[in-house]
Amino acid sequence: MRLIWLLPLIPAAGAAVNGLAGVRWFGRAAAGAVACLAMLSAFAVALTASIALIRLPPEARAYDVTLGPWLPPIPLATAHGIGSFAAEWAFRLDPLATVMILVVTGIGLLIHVYATAYMMDEPRGGYARFFCYLNLFCAFMLLLVLASNFLVMFIGWEGVGLCSYLLIGYWYEKGSAATAGRKAFITNRIGDWGFLLGVFGVFHVFGTVDFHAVAQAVSSLPVEQSHFGELSIICLLLFIGATGKSAQIPLFVWLPDAMEGPTPVSALIHAATMVTAGVYMVGRNAVLFQHAPLVLAIIAIVGTLTALMAATIGLVQNDIKRVLAYSTVSQLGYMFLAAGVGAFAASTFHLLTHAFFKALLFLGSGAVIHAMAGEQDMQRMGGLRRFLPVTFVTMMIGALAIAGIPPLAGFFSKDEILLQAFSKNRALWALGSVTALMTAFYMFRLVALTFYGVYRGPSWPRHVPPAVGGPATLSIATAHGVRHPVDPDAHGLAHVPQHDLSHGPAHPVPIGPAAHAHEWHGPHEAPSAMTWPLMALAVGAIVCGFISIPPALGGTNALERFLEPSFGGTPAAATVEHARQPRADAEPATADQASNGREWALMLLAVTLAGAGVAAAWRLYVTRPEIPVRLAARWPGLHSLLWHKYFVDEFYGATLVRSTFASARGLWTFDARVVDGAVNGSGWMTRTVSWFSGIFDRVVVDGLVNFVGWSADEGSLVVRRGQTGLLQNYLLLIVLGVCVFLTVYLFAR
């Protein structure tokens, strides 16, 4: 555990090696090996540290490592006087961080291995650049989850935002990818503004930004039950930051567009890193949020509405990755629903199970896209289970898991969330149950359109059978010698020679390895470097739910008990225990039976709803595929509303974006005409005044001076005439002067 500081450092070192040397000198195999070795080493350190922590007694499961000071003490005002604002490079490993580092490094490793084959079409330099970004992404996420104070977390928080921008816009010459990267960056900056204000508020109230110190300080404060005080304001600001990172209303719009990036990026963002940061941050500050129940209510409502809204949008989308993107938004809403009702352990449990089955589904979709030479429209697929047996089986497991079908992982975590919601707010539980029904429907709609029915994709030379289990090759030539009728940029094939950063001659193959020069021979199974991670994730999606079996099924909620120290003894845990303890006036067996009976009833209802969603999707898209067409024609307004995603992007474009650009143009006009006009007018005025000043100086000032000189010169001629130098003349003048004086004097009397 003393070496947990190495966890973010190891993938950061891998990023540095690929970023500084790999883009110039490494081949694809070397760049991929460096990135995967870095993640494997980080996973080994995480696993070792986690085992060491688990062996400790529950009350001692927290370990702090301080590398040294970061910010020296700065005197700043707080609510209680002048405080000392300081921060250290410090890390903390506790049960919550343990779960997160295993998710980030374990699933991140599988995604890295998968990407070595999926990104093989990229030029050598671009391949190393991709893995540099991927390693850096994991490094910042590990820094975020291990941070022991808000400021170190903020470095990781901003780092994952930067890496998401780099990875979403990795194919930067593709306009939609570059736009999506900017959209993600700007949207997250809005949320980060709230998060940073919340951090300032934490220091102002508590005089520290250390998580443990804040939890201890807030424990002594009263709960803000009926008023919106300073704790509620802080929690609301922090939640604004969470809505940006975890794509909740109103800042969810960036996540579906993030599908413009490569599929491994989508899997990493949606399963193991960025979108879980907001959920993790709320859980990390569980004690603080428990003292702001009004904000918890807001979190629960926002999470439920987000889950419901995203699920309805996912019902009609045809892009396979966008369906999964809206599924992620919906499942994140489930996590915030759990956090909002105080079930922080259930929220983290669903985060864990979701990481497995969502990574599986995204990587499976990447295998489908790979098989279809970049095609992402499910309307142009169908019947692929014959060509992609491994991908079909693993994606079916992932779909069953996210639908909540027992005994897969999603069943246990989703059941725990719905149970907690039922005990706190029946309306939220009802909306969550409806969302579960729609989740099962749209996920098996995806499975049906992709793997069942007749093949609806482009044709290939029928004398050549489709490749099954072949190498990671991709050709976009058809039997007629034309390009595959899809956007080649979807698989990273745009302007490949320009992407190569080797500063040498571009590879002679225009869009991939040498095998790409051949014709496309139909859908084919992915190579082993892609299928093995799928199988590993499928195993995880099957078994990871068993780590926290509820008491109604004979378990002990082991994960909840393991996580409880990180949440400071959450009210949710107390509520569950209270619900399962006998009342004073009841027999113990009766109370337990009532609690277990309620949980069994809720589980049965949830499974029934999931089964109904699966059955409906099967009927509408396998046995009676004409029905969805008739339904869309019958309710065109509703279909258009869902197809255009409630016109949220259009609304933002017409209001916020347009007003921002209008404000920018107005400011530019003000700057050009008023500010620059004032400066230019001042210059013109100065030149004009100086011209008049020059004339005044030459005519008036110099003229007056010259006139005085001329007067003195001319007057001297008269004066000189009286200066004869003869004494008798001077005496005569004196006598005349005396006579004049006497005359005047006498007459004056």
Side-chain angles (χ1 to χ4, degrees), residues 72 138 157 159 277 280 337 571 622 629 666 675 682 691:
C138 293
W157 190 273
Y280 170 80
L337 166 61
V622 177
V629 179
V675 178
S682 299
W691 183 78

Side-chain angles (χ1 to χ4, degrees), residues 233-459:
I233 294 174
I234 290 172
C235 290
L236 183 61
L237 290 171
L238 293 176
F239 177 61
I240 290 174
T243 61
K245 279 290 181 288
S246 295
Q248 298 296 287
I249 294 174
L251 300 179
F252 69 95
V253 291
W254 69 271
L255 192 57
D257 289 359
M259 298 304 96
E260 294 292 340
T263 299
V265 174
S266 303
L268 195 62
I269 290 177
H270 288 246
T273 54
M274 184 168 170
V275 297
T276 62
V279 179
Y280 170 80
M281 186 270 293
V282 173
R284 172 57 68 197
N285 296 280
V287 178
L288 180 61
F289 278 89
Q290 289 165 32
H291 283 70
L294 295 178
V295 177
L296 283 181
I298 293 173
I299 292 174
I301 293 171
V302 169
T304 304
L305 294 179
T306 302
L308 183 64
M309 179 205 65
T312 57
I313 295 174
L315 295 175
V316 300
Q317 299 301 308
N318 290 327
D319 187 303
I320 188 170
K321 288 176 65 177
R322 284 190 178 268
V323 173
L324 296 176
Y326 282 106
S327 169
T328 299
V329 176
S330 182
Q331 297 305 306
L332 290 167
Y334 260 111
M335 299 175 203
F336 280 109
L337 166 61
V341 298
F344 296 101
S347 176
T348 305
F349 185 26
H350 196 58
L351 185 155
L352 172 63
T353 60
H354 176 265
F356 278 99
F357 57 68
K358 187 50 62 69
L360 170 60
L361 289 168
F362 264 111
L363 297 186
S365 72
V368 172
I369 294 169
H370 172 272
M372 295 297 293
E375 181 64 73
Q376 295 183 204
D377 188 351
M378 296 183 297
Q379 301 285 351
R380 295 179 55 81
M381 297 180 186
L384 295 183
R385 70 184 189 279
R386 296 176 297 158
F387 309 128
L388 288 75
V390 176
T391 302
F392 165 67
V393 172
T394 54
M395 284 196 72
M396 178 65 76
I397 292 172
L400 290 170
I402 193 174
I405 302 297
L408 302 181
F411 163 74
F412 295 100
S413 59
K414 192 173 292 187
D415 169 70
E416 187 66 24
I417 292 175
L418 292 177
L419 173 64
Q420 298 293 339
F422 184 84
S423 65
K424 295 297 180 63
N425 190 302
R426 301 292 171 83
L428 297 181
W429 167 80
L431 293 177
S433 298
V434 172
T435 302
L437 169 65
M438 289 190 289
T439 300
F441 177 83
Y442 67 67
M443 285 309 307
F444 277 86
R445 173 180 178 268
L446 181 150
V447 171
L449 289 176
T450 304
F451 295 105
Y452 287 91
V454 297
Y455 176 76
R456 300 179 297 274
S459 61

